[in-house]
Amino acid sequence: MLEVLEKKHAILVTELDRYIVEHPEFAEKIPQNAQIVLQVEGDEEYNEWSRQIAEQQREPGQPVVYVKIKGLKPAKSRLLKPEVAVS
């Protein structure tokens, strides 16, 4: 189960990074050097795990920011005009 939570976390972190690149004003709301805790609506198992990991990694006095996520859109390919060459 830990592996599933770690994979989900990796995907969420990647998507948050992409979101911040596309919406820099969102990042302006996050204090410098903050511990970011991702929370997914309706997934209490992941949320508890994420809070525990964040608390373990948090530095003394470090601000904590909770980023609440409603969910993820379905994954889709980002390939541009792929071609197949058969020999």
Side-chain angles (χ1 to χ4, degrees):
M1 184 48 92
L2 179 62
E3 185 176 317
V4 171
L5 295 172
E6 289 172 341
K7 284 183 181 181
K8 182 172 193 165
H9 188 69
I11 291 167
L12 291 170
V13 168
T14 299
E15 292 301 325
L16 178 60
D17 286 345
R18 287 180 182 153
Y19 188 85
I20 287 173
V21 167
E22 294 173 7
H23 304 89
E25 68 283 357
F26 182 82
E28 292 172 7
K29 300 175 188 176
I30 301 172
Q32 189 81 14
N33 194 37
Q35 175 70 42
I36 297 174
V37 183
L38 300 177
Q39 300 286 272
V40 178
E41 187 174 285
D43 191 343
E44 194 51 43
E45 182 179 19
Y46 171 80
N47 294 341
E48 177 63 27
W49 176 84
S50 180
R51 288 189 299 266
Q52 288 177 0
I53 295 299
E55 188 58 37
Q56 292 170 8
Q57 296 175 348
R58 184 176 177 216
E59 298 171 8
Q62 185 178 26
V64 177
V65 173
Y66 293 89
V67 175
K68 297 177 183 177
I69 300 166
K70 299 270 184 195
L72 290 173
K73 290 182 181 178
K76 59 183 179 179
S77 176
R78 296 181 295 138
L79 297 179
L80 297 175
K81 299 181 182 181
E83 296 180 17
V84 176
V86 179
S87 58

